[in-house]
Amino acid sequence: MHDPQTPPRGVDIIAAALGSMPAAPGVYRMLDRGGDALYVGKARSLKKRVTTYTQVARLPERLRRMVSETASIEIITTHTEAEALLLEANLIKKLRPKFNILLRDDKSYPWLMITEDGDFPQLTKHRGAQTRKGRYWGPFASAWSVNQTIQALQRVFLLRTCADSVFINRSRPCLLYQIKRCSAPCVGRIDAQAYGMLVRQASDFLSGRAGTVQRDLAAEMQAASDSMEYERAAAIRDRIRGLAHISGGDVINPETVVDADVIAIHQAAGQSCVQVFFIRGGRNYGNRSFFPAHAQGAAAGDVIGAFVSQFYDDKVPPPLILLNTAVAQAGLLRDALSLKAGHKVDMAVPQRGEKRQVVEHAATNAREALERKLAESAGQEKLLSATASLFGLEASPQRIEIYDNSHIMGTNAYGVMVVAGPEGFVKPAYRRFSIKGPITPGDDFAMMREVLTRRFARAQAEDPRREEGAWPDLVVIDGGQGQLSSARAVLDELGIDDISLVAIAKGPDRDAGREWFHLPDRAPFQLPPRDPVLYFLQRLRDEAHRYAITTHRAGRSRKITTSELDGIPGIGAARKRALLNHFGSARGVRQAGLKDLEAVAGINRATARIIYGYFNPDAQVPDAALRENKINKV
């Protein structure tokens, strides 16, 4: 009999939930006492799948711990198992349960776009929602790879890359025309029909029809030569050479693979690296390494299967996915991806030929990337251990938070938090704090107090038991004894006495390498100039400084581009544009009289009074205007 004073065990909670659990396809979530997800899984039959968790003796150690921490279960039924797989991937990325294999992918991928909303389409790079009318190719692994592709396309197809505002206002060709990278449609050096031909050729090339484009250009060159237009023929010849240069086939740009993602995994020392190559139109759009978080003994097939389902949660899969390892339930995964893509998606583990060479190339890159990461992690662990010894910590810090402020004479003040750990800087954990005040301009101590108060008060509210790994083992402040005292006072007020504090201050001459380290109960000291720990701490401090400066500049730029007209009630984008076009600047609007404002197209008498009153709060609006406005209202 279960003692009512003792909380029920996880296995008992699971067994109790089985009584009302359907045998339908769906997704289940194991939750802890705080309501956070421990594990997300999918099943063809929820009841059969969840029943396996009551047989604890047959479970691996990782799942035994998960069962022991389970306090409740939630389920969502779906129509098919394929739908359940898609939902599972979505929930894993959203909830990040600690017992699942997790894909760490916080990056948005760039695409190449040719616009379709004008007579002279623009070739450009695009990120985010694809809302603008145009054709998109991608994704590319990095901004560098898409920029390289744009440069190559400029040489061959001479498409404009300038923004519409620049294109409309040009009066003579730019430098790109002079170096034969653009056809200068902005000043009429090419008509819309000829430019449209260039756009079609570029689209054909990006869609994998490079041979067709090459034949068309060869015929065009021959026709120009036959007509004795030798200069034009030479220009087309240069374009053909450029096309041949970027169309060459090899392992990097395979001839037999048109639209595919090549995914390969390599495992060592209990960790995995997954390498993804993006191939579109027979061209390699770059590659990227991923390091999924998983239990140490996870099989390669399980890791790559979980990776594929999560990776395409927010991306449209290509028609072909090439793998170096077979995945469990490959048929189900293929059906789920096809359902998401709206077209058939095939998955294969090639055994021979060029496709096999491409997969082996990706696997080699995965192995090399994992070897580099393991070497970097070993070096990082030594530095963390030495840092612990230097500052008297009980163990190597797993999370170090570094704080800095940035402002100009107190304006546009921001504080930032940078995070580092055993794997280097943890950029998804970085945080910005816009200083709210009230604070005396330039009071760095007060700024630091505000930043730390907001950071740790929120941590106490959201994670009081410190179970989410978001509490630091060491806090580093960019500053001297005064900043350290401010930080210590904040933690004391919040009742936090178990977090180590260090302040790093440059010497009197602000020489890098001669920093002073301040600790609460220890005299300031310096490290030898060539000490590796000094370099490590400098790197932490410099990263916080870089992030603070970048944040401050971005905030200042936003403020500079904000118009003082934005604060006027009832003045939207159209009226603001009309005012600026009429008066030339916000200053002109501010200095305008009531009659001048009324003369602006789209500005009626009532709106003119609002604008005039906004800039002249103490001025009296003429009675005639007031009376007429009342009559208009009646």
Side-chain angles (χ1 to χ4, degrees):
M1 178 71 75
H2 177 68
D3 184 354
Q5 300 294 327
T6 305
R9 297 181 306 153
V11 67
D12 296 328
I13 292 170
I14 294 172
L18 288 171
S20 59
M21 192 164 293
V27 173
Y28 57 92
R29 284 178 286 174
M30 306 293 194
L31 307 178
D32 63 14
R33 290 185 178 83
D36 295 323
L38 294 169
Y39 185 81
V40 174
K42 58 96 179 62
R44 179 183 302 174
S45 170
L46 285 168
K47 190 161 191 170
K48 286 184 180 179
R49 182 72 183 92
V50 175
T51 298
T52 61
Y53 294 106
T54 62
Q55 303 164 2
V56 179
R58 298 183 180 181
L59 297 176
E61 180 59 29
R62 174 177 66 95
L63 294 184
R64 289 183 192 178
R65 287 190 290 113
M66 182 269 291
V67 169
S68 69
E69 295 181 28
T70 298
S72 62
I73 301 178
E74 292 181 354
I75 65 168
I76 303 174
T77 59
T78 59
H79 292 98
T80 65
E81 191 179 6
E83 289 181 1
L85 179 60
L86 294 176
L87 179 58
E88 177 197 38
N90 181 283
L91 291 175
I92 289 173
K93 289 193 74 173
K94 180 180 178 182
L95 302 176
R96 305 192 67 77
K98 67 179 181 179
F99 287 101
N100 280 97
I101 295 172
L102 298 179
L103 165 62
R104 297 164 177 168
D105 182 20
D106 58 345
K107 178 177 181 177
S108 66
Y109 292 84
W111 290 66
L112 188 147
M113 178 178 70
I114 296 179
T115 62
E116 293 180 344
D117 50 6
D119 293 334
F120 297 97
Q122 174 195 12
L123 175 67
T124 187
K125 178 174 61 180
H126 177 83
R127 283 186 191 266
Q130 297 178 3
T131 54
R132 188 176 179 183
K133 187 178 180 181
R135 293 193 64 185
Y136 296 84
W137 289 269
F140 286 76
S142 64
W144 180 87
S145 58
V146 72
N147 288 337
Q148 290 293 106
T149 302
I150 288 175
Q151 290 179 18
L153 293 175
Q154 283 179 289
R155 294 188 184 96
V156 180
F157 302 108
L158 309 178
L159 300 183
R160 73 176 182 93
T161 56
C162 56
D164 290 344
S165 57
V166 175
F167 174 75
I168 293 170
N169 293 297
R170 285 214 64 89
S171 59
R172 60 181 181 177
C174 68
L175 180 62
L176 288 175
Y177 174 75
Q178 306 296 337
I179 62 174
K180 300 179 181 179
R181 298 292 185 271
C182 181
S183 53
C186 54
V187 292
R189 298 296 172 93
I190 185 172
D191 59 31
Q193 183 177 357
Y195 190 85
M197 177 61 73
L198 296 178
V199 171
R200 285 191 293 275
Q201 290 175 345
S203 298
D204 286 344
F205 173 77
L206 290 168
S207 300
R209 296 187 288 274
T212 301
V213 176
Q214 201 150 12
R215 287 191 295 272
D216 290 347
L217 287 175
E220 190 177 346
M221 179 181 69
Q222 186 61 48
S225 178
D226 293 344
S227 302
M228 292 187 289
E229 299 177 64
Y230 299 121
E231 188 172 343
R232 179 166 169 264
I236 298 172
R237 178 204 61 201
D238 293 341
R239 292 176 57 199
I240 292 174
R241 287 177 177 173
L243 182 63
H245 176 70
I246 61 177
S247 298
D250 50 28
V251 174
I252 303 300
N253 298 303
E255 294 180 352
T256 58
V257 182
V258 180
D259 291 319
D261 285 345
V262 182
I263 303 177
I265 186 172
H266 182 79
Q267 293 185 307
Q271 298 187 45
S272 300
C273 174
V274 177
Q275 189 82 197
V276 181
F277 279 79
F278 303 94
I279 298 176
R280 299 293 184 272
R283 303 295 304 161
N284 189 330
Y285 282 4
N287 65 303
R288 188 173 176 218
S289 301
F290 299 87
F291 302 93
H294 58 76
Q296 196 158 25
D302 294 337
V303 175
I304 204 167
F307 172 88
V308 169
S309 64
Q310 294 177 49
F311 183 70
Y312 293 109
D313 174 59
D314 56 356
K315 306 173 187 67
V316 178
L320 177 63
I321 299 173
L322 299 177
L323 307 169
N324 73 328
T325 300
V327 301
Q329 297 183 305
L332 173 62
L333 187 55
R334 189 182 298 114
D335 292 344
L337 294 177
S338 299
L339 179 65
K340 179 177 180 61
H343 57 72
K344 182 181 178 182
V345 175
D346 198 11
M347 289 174 27
V349 183
Q351 301 300 317
R352 63 183 66 85
E354 187 181 43
K355 291 179 180 177
R356 178 63 184 174
Q357 293 176 1
V358 172
V359 169
E360 288 177 345
H361 180 66
T364 299
N365 277 266
R367 174 179 55 79
E368 292 173 350
L370 184 57
E371 288 172 351
R372 288 193 299 270
K373 183 175 184 291
L374 292 173
E376 291 168 0
S377 296
Q380 184 84 350
E381 183 55 42
K382 289 181 180 178
L383 290 170
L384 291 173
S385 178
T387 299
S389 299
L390 176 67
F391 297 134
L393 307 182
E394 294 180 359
S396 297
Q398 298 303 297
R399 181 181 172 106
I400 302 175
E401 294 182 358
I402 310 96
Y403 293 85
D404 193 11
N405 299 326
S406 184
H407 59 91
I408 294 179
M409 299 298 290
T411 62
N412 302 307
Y414 287 88
V416 299
M417 177 186 82
V418 166
V419 180
E423 297 183 1
F425 290 110
V426 188
K427 294 193 175 182
Y430 286 16
R431 293 294 179 267
R432 306 181 183 94
F433 301 86
S434 177
I435 303 299
K436 298 177 180 178
I439 287 175
T440 302
D443 188 346
D444 285 339
F445 300 153
M447 292 180 193
M448 186 60 68
R449 283 195 297 271
E450 178 180 326
V451 169
L452 293 175
T453 299
R454 288 164 59 184
R455 157 68 177 115
F456 287 101
R458 182 170 182 174
Q460 286 181 321
E462 295 182 350
D463 185 21
R465 293 187 292 179
R466 306 190 185 186
E467 296 176 338
E468 298 179 3
W471 283 76
D473 303 305
L474 175 65
V475 168
V476 177
I477 307 295
D478 183 19
Q481 187 63 49
Q483 294 282 27
L484 180 68
S485 299
S486 297
R488 182 73 270 167
V490 169
L491 297 185
D492 288 343
E493 289 172 9
L494 296 174
I496 301 171
D497 58 4
D498 57 347
I499 294 179
S500 299
L501 284 172
V502 178
I504 304 178
K506 290 183 179 179
D509 298 325
R510 304 193 63 78
D511 292 331
R514 304 304 302 158
E515 285 83 354
W516 287 89
F517 294 88
H518 300 264
L519 280 72
D521 301 315
R522 187 170 164 184
F525 64 91
Q526 291 180 300
L527 292 175
R530 297 182 181 275
D531 193 317
V533 178
L534 174 62
Y535 291 139
F536 173 63
L537 296 170
Q538 284 175 340
R539 199 164 85 241
L540 298 183
R541 188 269 320 278
D542 292 345
E543 172 66 3
H545 190 60
R546 178 203 65 79
Y547 191 54
I549 291 292
T550 302
T551 301
H552 164 75
R553 286 175 177 167
R556 192 177 68 206
S557 297
R558 284 192 298 269
K559 188 169 183 179
I560 288 173
T561 56
T562 300
S563 169
E564 55 186 321
L565 304 183
D566 294 338
I568 305 176
I571 301 299
R575 283 176 168 171
K576 184 171 72 171
R577 185 163 54 249
L579 288 166
L580 292 173
N581 288 340
H582 187 91
F583 293 105
S585 66
R587 180 181 179 183
V589 178
R590 185 173 66 247
Q591 294 176 345
L594 191 59
K595 288 291 185 183
D596 298 326
L597 292 170
E598 292 172 5
V600 178
I603 304 296
N604 59 28
R605 191 178 299 274
T607 305
R609 290 181 67 249
I610 292 172
I611 299 170
Y612 186 80
Y614 180 83
F615 288 114
N616 304 276
D618 298 327
Q620 293 294 321
V621 178
D623 291 339
L626 184 60
R627 283 196 302 272
E628 190 167 346
N629 186 54
K630 287 181 179 179
I631 293 171
N632 288 338
K633 286 184 178 180
V634 174

